[in-house]
Amino acid sequence: MAEPVYDPKLEIRKLPPSVTRELGRLLDFADYWKDLMAIIPKQLSSTTFVADVKPDNLPKYNSEHFKIIEQAGSEPNKSCTEILIQEWGTSGKIRANLGILRYLLVKAELFQAADYVSKLINQPPPPRPVNGPARAITTNLPGRVDRHLEEIERDLDKINYPEIAINKIRKKSDETVALPAQGIPKIVISEVDNNEGRDFNAPVVIQKEKPKEPVNHVQNSDVMPNFSVLLQESEVKNEISSVNLPNISEILNSLDSISDNNDQSTSNSFTPAFSQILNNSSSLIESNAPIPPLSQLLSDQTGDSILEGSLPDLDVLNLNENISSSNIIPNLSLLNTQSDQASGSVQIYDSDSKNSSGSSNKCPSPLPNLSLNTELPHFRYCELEHATNNFSDTPFKSIEDEGRFLGKGAFGSVFLATGLAHEFLAVKKIFLENVEVVNEDDQVTKQFKNEVEFLSKYKHKNLVSLLGYSCDGPTYCLVYEYVPGGTLCDILKENPQKLPWQQRLKISIGTAEAIAYLHTAFSTPIIHRDIKSANILLDGDNNPKLGDFGIIKLLPNQKTDTYTAPFGTSAYMSPECLRGDISIKLDTYSFGVVLVELMTSLPPIDTKRQGIDLVTYMLDKCEEDIEPILDRTIGSWEHDNINFAEKLFKLALKCLEDNKKKRPEMVQVVDELRQIVQLLD
Ligand code: ATP
Ligand code: MG
């Protein structure tokens, strides 16, 4: 049936589903919708279809919006293009129409979609450029291409696929369908200053060598090659020279003597660092002693007695930058991963005693093989396990004790890690519910990748620094600087006296600076979305450090409690945010709640209180000033006859305005706080 002809002025929000579906089919492929989205200007004209981004008409969408659409579109049966059409078609004073859509599709050189829209509005297909990838190509395909394809499909149907492959596909699709559908988030455009290059503070330096290659080479047992095959292949290609290949029998024979000499060996199941063996025994490598084939060692399932605890950590070969031939040595970490029997549990340190070179601990990983574009170091999961006493869930009290557990949030548990760097670190182990289905296109993985690649750029003295990551174990981990003073939330609850009012002013200004930095440091603002006293950590001098600025907020299937929800925490959520309207102003609102907490030492949520959330409670109790609920046990809040609580209260009220347009941006909040703090001098 012929497509009806539409008026070019028809608003795209009014398009029938069959049309948006077809556009989705054309533009979801290879993420072409992003090319379109990138050139949509903020303002459209009601008199022309021309719509160009110009200095006075900036792009409508920023990278945060791209991410939102990408995430929403990754749900089953969702199309990013359709979400974009719905979002763009229903926002702005002048609504997008078919003529404008065609104009932009041509501009983005998305000719297949442009042809389709042209046909809809009864216009000729747009001319192709003479050169470049979008130029027209003449093909010699037979006239009835579709018939040709049908034939191919029929041939393919005749092929018998192995049962295992079919089951795998079935399993995957069952699991995918089981995922909960998510609503389409509303995108809100917010104005921000572009203060690129502001002078912000120095990062924490961590001394860890970055592996040359992504560490998680091959972890999935499905695709794990047999080591002997690897060796054979290498031999055929003559790629492994006898100098580079370790002489395993000699190493095994010499373990005892090395073990005796090594201070850090603690048990019979000593596992030497391979680098150490190489250093200690160049003679071993040149020796002519008989070499037991590695494949035999590995395939010997009864070989516990031979192998247990005695297989060297061959992985070190791959990490050791001194071994320039690393590219011709097969991935020896496979040895450790493949052989259950080979995995001892004792950790030893490599020759410079700086980083723990993962022992033969097994790191079986169902995670996809990620290649991350970041300067941050990758930590092997085994290293993290060792550094956290096997993620000991006993609360951390002192370094002498076993306990390393620091706390638990909606997205993971946090553990103190020692021995990885000169300073202590905090490791957040992300909860992954259905880890078997995690793959590279998965939302959690995309988000993890994003966080690691993106957040390492953000450095500020009042932000908890992200220092590393791990993706070669059973779950993802993020490694942060350790902030020893606890969370503001806990201190206000358990020990409010520790924070006199002057100190609280300092905390408010530091926190505000960190948020303003996130909003303005780069051209794209990063919205924290989860500002709350539980995410403000205090260092030894009670300086605030804001954490979780971008931590995985979109994990599906999270078990959350009343205090924490994946999209922020309800007591801190601005009214428009509850409707899905996300902008930098939602951070201003949440900061207003923190100001009230600082003034009152009251919990943000108290189910026994009339006015369960703090803002409702404050508005009930305080008409003119904060006096009825001000915490006066921590000082007078006065200096030189100036009532600082009154000033903070006024600022908090502005931050807590229902109408987001009336709320100040965080840079303005910082200015106001600076003026207030100056009055203390
Ligand atoms: P949410 O998941 O909503 O962020 P949360 O902030 O309570 O909730 P986490 O961020 O997982 O949860 O942190 C849990 C606890 O771990 C915190 O309350 C804090 O006590 C501790 N913690 C987190 N990060 C660090 C760190 N870098 N240094 C020291 N302790 C930390
Ligand atoms: Mg947190």
Side-chain angles (χ1 to χ4, degrees):
M1 205 174 73
E3 286 273 8
V5 173
Y6 297 99
D7 182 342
K9 285 199 170 154
L10 179 78
E11 292 179 3
I12 58 172
R13 71 192 165 106
K14 295 182 183 157
L15 287 172
S18 60
V19 173
T20 49
R21 240 191 335 267
E22 180 59 9
L23 284 168
R25 196 184 65 77
L26 295 169
L27 296 176
D28 282 344
F29 177 75
D31 283 347
Y32 286 142
W33 59 272
K34 287 185 180 170
D35 297 348
L36 168 66
M37 187 166 171
I39 58 166
I40 296 177
K42 266 187 185 162
Q43 279 136 33
L44 302 175
S45 160
S46 55
T47 52
T48 162
F49 299 134
V50 175
D52 291 318
V53 167
K54 287 189 266 185
D56 60 346
N57 193 8
L58 295 172
K60 185 175 173 76
Y61 299 109
N62 64 36
S63 59
E64 181 80 15
H65 306 134
F66 278 76
K67 267 199 260 171
I68 293 174
I69 293 201
E70 202 162 28
Q71 274 151 3
S74 65
E75 293 297 324
N77 304 323
K78 292 267 187 245
S79 145
C80 293
T81 308
E82 288 183 58
I83 296 168
L84 173 62
I85 289 173
Q86 190 181 334
E87 181 344 274
W88 181 35
T90 53
S91 65
K93 276 193 200 116
I94 296 161
R95 301 286 161 93
N97 57 36
L98 277 172
I100 295 173
L101 176 64
R102 179 183 184 270
Y103 177 86
L104 288 175
L105 287 170
V106 175
K107 197 168 174 197
E109 300 199 332
L110 300 167
F111 285 105
Q112 243 190 317
D115 287 353
Y116 174 66
V117 175
S118 305
K119 205 167 142 204
L120 290 178
I121 54 181
N122 203 17
Q123 286 190 9
R128 301 289 200 271
V130 187
N131 293 312
R135 73 185 188 281
I137 299 174
T138 356
T139 63
N140 294 324
L141 285 172
R144 292 294 315 271
V145 178
D146 43 354
R147 183 119 136 244
H148 184 64
L149 290 177
E150 272 167 25
E151 272 163 26
I152 293 174
E153 252 176 40
R154 261 200 307 278
D155 285 346
L156 285 174
D157 281 345
K158 286 180 205 149
I159 297 173
N160 282 328
Y161 291 98
E163 191 64 17
I164 185 169
I166 293 168
N167 284 342
K168 246 189 155 161
I169 294 165
R170 274 201 200 116
K171 185 162 175 267
K172 267 254 145 32
S173 58
D174 286 354
E175 280 152 355
T176 316
V177 172
L179 285 171
Q182 216 177 44
I184 300 164
K186 181 167 164 44
I187 293 177
V188 174
I189 314 298
S190 55
E191 305 280 349
V192 284
D193 291 341
N194 180 354
N195 288 343
E196 207 144 351
R198 277 167 152 238
D199 180 22
F200 292 105
N201 301 284
V204 174
V205 178
I206 183 166
Q207 295 183 345
K208 182 176 197 304
E209 282 175 3
K210 214 180 140 208
K212 284 200 150 174
E213 291 177 47
V215 176
N216 189 17
H217 300 283
V218 184
Q219 303 286 359
N220 191 331
S221 56
D222 283 348
V223 291
M224 186 82 75
N226 180 324
F227 193 79
S228 59
V229 173
L230 247 178
L231 284 180
Q232 276 161 20
E233 273 175 15
S234 306
E235 274 161 22
V236 171
K237 290 177 197 155
N238 201 14
E239 281 182 346
I240 301 182
S241 77
S242 59
V243 177
N244 294 322
L245 193 66
N247 181 331
I248 297 296
S249 66
E250 293 284 27
I251 293 162
L252 291 177
N253 290 338
S254 66
L255 285 175
D256 288 346
S257 60
I258 296 171
S259 168
D260 289 341
N261 294 337
N262 194 308
D263 296 344
Q264 280 152 5
S265 73
T266 51
S267 81
N268 294 337
S269 60
F270 165 74
T271 310
F274 203 82
S275 56
Q276 209 171 6
I277 294 166
L278 287 179
N279 291 340
N280 285 349
S281 53
S282 50
S283 60
L284 299 180
I285 290 167
E286 282 150 23
S287 157
N288 290 323
I291 308 170
L294 269 177
S295 55
Q296 194 182 316
L297 278 174
L298 287 172
S299 59
D300 184 358
Q301 293 302 309
T302 58
D304 303 31
S305 54
I306 306 168
L307 284 171
E308 197 173 311
S310 59
L311 194 66
D313 180 11
L314 298 168
D315 199 3
V316 177
L317 267 178
N318 286 329
L319 298 178
N320 192 337
E321 301 210 358
N322 297 329
I323 301 175
S324 56
S325 53
S326 63
N327 55 343
I328 60 165
I329 297 174
N331 181 6
L332 297 167
S333 62
L334 298 178
L335 264 178
N336 290 331
T337 328
Q338 195 168 14
S339 166
D340 273 0
Q341 282 71 25
S343 57
S345 58
V346 178
Q347 180 78 61
I348 58 128
Y349 292 83
D350 63 13
S351 43
D352 65 0
S353 298
K354 191 177 64 186
N355 297 317
S356 51
S357 71
S359 69
S360 50
N361 281 6
K362 216 176 74 155
C363 296
S365 179
L367 302 176
N369 184 7
L370 292 186
S371 150
L372 298 171
N373 178 17
T374 174
E375 286 302 306
L376 291 178
H378 177 274
F379 289 87
R380 283 188 295 151
Y381 185 79
C382 333
E383 287 181 287
L384 298 183
E385 260 184 336
H386 180 75
T388 56
N389 287 345
N390 271 331
F391 293 105
S392 155
D393 52 12
T394 310
F396 168 66
K397 292 222 166 58
S398 102
I399 209 68
E400 282 77 38
D401 297 335
E402 151 87 17
R404 292 289 181 269
F405 180 73
L406 294 174
K408 186 175 175 181
F411 314 105
S413 293
V414 184
F415 302 86
L416 179 82
T418 58
L420 290 172
H422 291 310
E423 59 257 56
F424 292 160
L425 303 178
V427 179
K428 181 172 268 192
K429 195 175 163 197
I430 305 294
F431 299 133
L432 282 182
E433 270 196 5
N434 202 353
V435 73
E436 285 80 29
V437 298
V438 174
N439 62 50
E440 194 147 358
D441 297 324
D442 185 275
Q443 197 158 313
V444 183
T445 302
K446 277 191 192 161
Q447 190 82 11
F448 174 80
K449 195 167 179 288
N450 242 336
E451 307 297 347
V452 172
E453 291 180 345
F454 190 58
L455 296 185
S456 48
K457 292 192 208 130
Y458 286 79
K459 303 280 178 200
H460 187 276
K461 72 177 183 342
N462 298 113
L463 285 179
V464 179
S465 300
L466 180 65
L467 300 178
Y469 66 99
S470 174
C471 57
D472 69 342
T475 185
Y476 296 115
C477 295
L478 293 164
V479 181
Y480 295 99
E481 70 172 303
Y482 169 64
V483 191
T487 67
L488 176 62
C489 180
D490 289 342
I491 295 170
L492 289 178
K493 189 164 142 205
E494 287 152 21
N495 194 6
Q497 306 308 323
K498 197 178 160 199
L499 299 175
W501 67 272
Q502 295 91 334
Q503 196 86 55
R504 295 181 185 213
L505 273 182
K506 196 169 96 177
I507 292 170
S508 67
I509 200 163
T511 309
E513 278 175 4
I515 308 169
Y517 168 78
L518 292 177
H519 289 179
T520 59
F522 296 97
S523 50
T524 305
I526 172 166
I527 305 168
H528 187 293
R529 301 185 198 202
D530 203 9
I531 305 286
K532 58 178 177 178
S533 55
N535 274 340
I536 300 169
L537 294 155
L538 300 182
D539 71 8
D541 298 323
N542 289 331
N543 294 309
K545 296 239 179 203
L546 181 62
D548 287 351
F549 53 103
I551 182 62
I552 301 170
K553 293 190 168 70
L554 297 168
L555 296 187
N557 299 329
Q558 286 305 313
K559 290 192 189 99
T560 56
D561 57 30
T562 15
Y563 293 82
T564 319
F567 285 99
T569 308
S570 58
Y572 296 85
M573 250 191 229
S574 58
E576 82 280 358
C577 176
L578 291 165
R579 297 190 297 267
D581 176 349
I582 312 281
S583 74
I584 53 170
K585 295 290 184 72
L586 77 87
D587 284 347
T588 307
Y589 184 94
S590 309
F591 178 74
V593 181
V594 173
L595 280 182
V596 181
E597 287 182 85
L598 282 168
M599 284 184 279
T600 63
S601 309
L602 291 171
I605 291 214
D606 183 351
T607 44
K608 292 187 209 93
R609 193 170 58 193
Q610 207 168 14
I612 291 173
D613 71 275
L614 187 54
V615 175
T616 309
Y617 182 69
M618 178 198 74
L619 294 174
D620 274 359
K621 294 276 170 191
C622 310
E623 297 213 329
E624 309 257 291
D625 56 42
I626 190 79
E627 202 56 44
I629 56 171
L630 183 66
D631 184 356
R632 284 201 169 274
T633 66
I634 42 107
S636 65
W637 290 93
E638 283 186 18
H639 176 79
D640 276 352
N641 281 333
I642 302 167
N643 184 339
F644 283 81
E646 195 181 300
K647 295 204 173 288
L648 272 194
F649 179 62
K650 282 197 179 132
L651 180 58
L653 285 182
K654 280 195 228 168
C655 295
L656 294 169
E657 279 284 356
D658 269 356
N659 181 347
K660 71 172 185 182
K661 287 192 183 147
K662 291 191 184 160
R663 272 177 237 149
E665 285 185 11
M666 285 308 296
V667 273
Q668 293 164 285
V669 173
V670 170
D671 282 347
E672 283 208 34
L673 281 168
R674 283 199 183 128
Q675 285 167 25
I676 295 174
V677 170
Q678 266 173 14
L679 298 171
L680 270 177
D681 299 335

